[in-house]
């Protein structure tokens, strides 16, 4: 009898648990259905990332020979943010800040080997595409949107579907690689030694992984969807190596290449940490006589990336979604090709500034934006998360560091008193920050060293004004914007 009663009790407990789970699922389903119903009239998001894209695009004029007609066309329709800056001048921390809405100084993600979901406090953080999913959107992603296009660093679980896990261009045959002879010069930086190469390839445009990623997005736009969507498309080029189909190198003949401006004594008036972030490697390219080749490679890679972007935008234009889709095009940070250094990981404008274009069709509920306008106010990529929520009339996420600059999408000349904050904090150097206001670019290194530039009078940042007493109050005002928190560098968990 006791055994019988025990069995009945156990069965009742199981039934109660089953009923509780069923009721929970019904409640969750009801919430999801409500979100889906509320989202029907909301705009779609086309979220295009271009890796390492600096201001070498026609609409920003960073290089006079840049040929990026598709990006330029998008800028002519939307709002071009002339002073958009990354939260960190390195791939993973920049993309982490965009997707989480948190600064590197908050998370402690300063390097490429650290993943925010390995941290207990951010294990279940709701990222940008997840937030849209939670509010009734279909989220598809392909290519490099997080730090990688596949594996842990792609955050595949954040998407409803990942449609592309490959990136870059088909490389030339092995015997055609590293013909510049520079690899031994970069032994102290094995990553740069492996990546720094360029050259044309014979593979058809359509055979390249970046084009296939773009084509996956284009195919998505040709289908019918019963929910609004958040479509992410990550193009890897112009990240090194600068391989691209030959037609894009032919667009930039080597004999016609113009070199970026360069000042031989540029580093004489900057602190030691700045010098360490700077000219250590570029001298090898300059002294080798291969600088023109490198510039050609970067311009060709830019043009190929632009063609991939154009393929997606053409598909959108031909789709049923063209009048209710917000297009966001961004690069994760800048990239210096010889003005001060070769690469990223520095706090000057060459490595922090990046293209940002937002096109919001006038039928959106957020209002009619100015068309083909330039916004001169500095904005940060960490602000994209809250900005897109506001543009799509989604509830605010109160836990973000970024602030919405949606008012600037609707009126690029609206008052915007906030500067952009850039952080570059390799754990062996401590916290290094920059503040970019409308008039000044101020850098303070972990050892107290400073740089200050009047960006209107000195856009190339050649004259360091930090020691000029006339700017003492200017520095004091800019320092007020530095992050209050400087989280320690988060190291990847050790394997057991």
């Amino acid at each position: 009898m006791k055994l019988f009663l025990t069995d009945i009790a156990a069965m009742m407990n199981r039934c109660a648990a089953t009923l509780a789970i069923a009721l929970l699922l019904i409640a969750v389903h009801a919430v999801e259905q409500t979100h889906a119903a509320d989202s029907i009239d909301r705009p779609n998001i086309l979220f295009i990332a271009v890796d390492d894209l600096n201001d070498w695009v026609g609409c920003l004029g960073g290089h006079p020979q840049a040929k990026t007609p598709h990006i330029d066309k998008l800028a002519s329709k939307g709002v071009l943010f002339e002073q958009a800056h990354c939260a960190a001048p390195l791939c993973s921390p920049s993309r982490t800040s965009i997707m989480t809405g948190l600064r590197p100084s908050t998370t402690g993600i300063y390097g490429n080997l650290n993943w925010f979901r390995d941290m207990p406090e951010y294990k279940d953080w709701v990222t940008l595409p997840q937030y849209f999913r939670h509010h009734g959107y279909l989220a598809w992603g392909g290519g490099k949107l997080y730090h990688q296009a596949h594996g842990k660093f792609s955050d595949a679980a954040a998407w409803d579907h990942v449609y592309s896990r490959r990136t870059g261009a088909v490389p030339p045959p092995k015997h055609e690689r590293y013909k510049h002879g520079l690899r031994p010069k970069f032994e102290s930086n094995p990553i740069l030694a492996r990546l720094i190469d360029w050259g044309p390839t014979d593979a058809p445009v359509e055979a390249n992984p970046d084009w296939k990623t773009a084509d996956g997005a284009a195919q998505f736009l040709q289908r019918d969807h019963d929910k609004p969507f958040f479509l992410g498309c990550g193009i890897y080029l112009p990240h090194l190596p600068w391989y691209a189909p030959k037609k894009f190198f032919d667009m930039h003949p080597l004999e016609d290449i113009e070199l970026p401006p360069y000042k031989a004594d540029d580093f004489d008036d900057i602190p030691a940490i700045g010098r360490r972030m700077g000219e250590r490697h570029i001298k090898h390219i300059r002294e080798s006589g291969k600088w023109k080749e490198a510039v050609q490679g970067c311009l060709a890679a830019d043009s190929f990336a632009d063609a991939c972007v154009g393929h997606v935008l053409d598909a959108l234009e031909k789709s049923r979604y063209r009048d209710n889709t917000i297009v966001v095009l961004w690069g994760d940070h800048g990239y210096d090709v010889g003005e001060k250094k070769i690469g990223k990981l520095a706090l000057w404008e060459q490595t922090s500034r990046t293209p940002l274009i937002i096109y919001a069709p006038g039928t959106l509920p957020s209002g009619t934006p100015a068309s083909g306008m330039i916004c001169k106010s500095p904005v940060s990529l960490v602000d994209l998360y809250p900005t897109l929520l506001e543009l799509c009339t989604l509830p605010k996420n109160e836990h973000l560091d970024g602030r919405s600059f949606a008012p600037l999408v609707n009126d690029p000349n609206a008052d915007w008193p906030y500067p952009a904050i850039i952080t570059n904090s390799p754990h062996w150097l401590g916290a290094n920050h920059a503040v970019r206001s409308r008039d000044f670019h101020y850098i303070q290194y972990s050892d107290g060293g400073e740089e200050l530039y009047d960006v209107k009078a000195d856009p190339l940042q050649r004259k360091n004004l930090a020691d000029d007493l006339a700017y003492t109050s200017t520095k004091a005002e800019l320092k007020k914007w530095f992050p209050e928190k400087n989280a320690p560098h988060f190291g990847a968990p050790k394997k057991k």
Side-chain angles (χ1 to χ4, degrees), residues 199-203 244-251:
T201 67
D202 293 326
K246 184 176 181 295
K247 63 179 286 188
F248 297 100
F249 275 80
D250 291 344
M251 290 168 61

Side-chain angles (χ1 to χ4, degrees), residues 377-440:
S377 296
V379 296
S380 172
L381 297 185
V382 76
D383 298 331
L384 279 174
Y385 192 150
T387 298
L388 294 182
L389 299 192
E390 182 173 348
L391 288 175
C392 294
T393 66
L394 296 183
K396 287 184 179 180
N397 184 335
E398 302 290 352
H399 305 289
L400 308 179
D401 286 337
R403 60 173 60 86
S404 171
F405 57 78
L408 295 175
V409 179
N410 291 290
D411 179 5
N413 297 312
D415 182 51
W416 187 256
Y418 309 106
I421 312 301
I422 308 108
T423 298
N424 184 25
S425 295
H427 61 280
W428 63 90
L429 292 176
N432 307 283
H433 300 297
V435 179
R436 177 49 158 91
S437 69
R438 270 183 173 260
D439 299 321
F440 294 96

